[in-house]
Amino acid sequence: MTALRPASYDGTMERTVDGGVIRFERLLPYRVHDVWDAVTNPTRLAQWWLPFEADITIDLRDGGSLAIARPGIEKVTTCRILHVEPPMLLEHIHLDGLSRLRWELAPVATGCRLRLSHFVSDVDAALENDYVAGLDTSLTRLGPCLANHPIPWDPDQFDRARAHY
């Protein structure tokens, strides 16, 4: 399959009673199982999700954990997994420990639809911490990872996304 370019700046932020939700939806020309692997396989996830080098381990079960260890930094960040329904749903606490991410996959005629929702308690803090621009930049790296051509984090792309959002 060939990778399609993701929609430019498709992230949205909605204020809610409990805070807010950042949403992205991407149509990917890959099977659900392939996208699920890129989201839950620690080696593949490390290739596209984070803006820094890290070793990731995942205990993929309700109540399990997603742990991120950065070279040269003693503290390991651990996020609790809230709910898993392979290969369609993963929900876990975010690295900040205060918000949560929900990854929903669904088959479509052209491959897979990925819906990513980041539920935050403080919209202004999420915007200040560049959560929307960060997720946009990470998701831009997902397609090349799925095509087995991972690309490094691009600070210029991040700055463009930050300026847009």
Side-chain angles (χ1 to χ4, degrees):
M1 295 184 151
T2 57
L4 298 176
R5 247 184 110 165
S8 295
Y9 309 119
D10 61 339
T12 62
M13 170 66 84
E14 174 187 344
R15 291 185 187 270
T16 65
V17 174
D18 297 330
V21 60
I22 300 164
R23 287 195 175 94
F24 286 90
E25 183 172 307
R26 298 284 169 98
L27 296 175
L28 302 163
Y30 297 92
R31 297 176 319 133
V32 167
H33 288 283
D34 296 328
V35 178
W36 180 256
D37 186 61
V39 171
T40 61
N41 176 317
T43 301
R44 295 192 74 200
L45 187 59
Q47 292 176 334
W48 68 270
W49 185 41
L50 301 170
F52 48 79
E53 187 177 322
D55 291 318
I56 299 174
T57 57
I58 300 176
D59 177 9
L60 194 59
R61 62 181 175 82
D62 290 4
S65 64
L66 185 154
I68 298 167
R70 295 178 67 179
I73 298 176
E74 285 187 39
K75 183 181 182 243
V76 174
T77 302
T78 303
C79 307
R80 186 169 46 95
I81 294 176
L82 302 171
H83 191 63
V84 180
E85 293 178 23
M88 307 298 237
L89 175 71
L90 171 64
E91 189 168 355
H92 62 86
I93 299 298
H94 182 260
L95 302 174
D96 66 11
L98 304 172
S99 58
R100 64 187 165 89
L101 290 163
R102 182 178 179 94
W103 309 79
E104 298 173 273
L105 308 180
V108 295
T110 57
C112 176
R113 180 183 64 232
L114 165 64
R115 285 187 178 147
L116 175 58
S117 302
H118 187 169
F119 299 91
V120 300
S121 58
D122 185 337
V123 170
D124 294 328
L127 292 171
E128 185 176 312
N129 289 319
D130 294 316
Y131 285 0
V132 182
L135 285 173
D136 186 273
T137 304
S138 292
L139 288 170
T140 299
R141 298 171 66 206
L142 176 58
C145 180
L146 285 162
N148 293 316
H149 299 291
I151 58 173
W153 181 265
D154 182 348
D156 293 332
Q157 171 63 31
F158 176 75
D159 286 343
R160 286 189 298 275
R162 178 191 283 160
H164 173 79
Y165 291 112

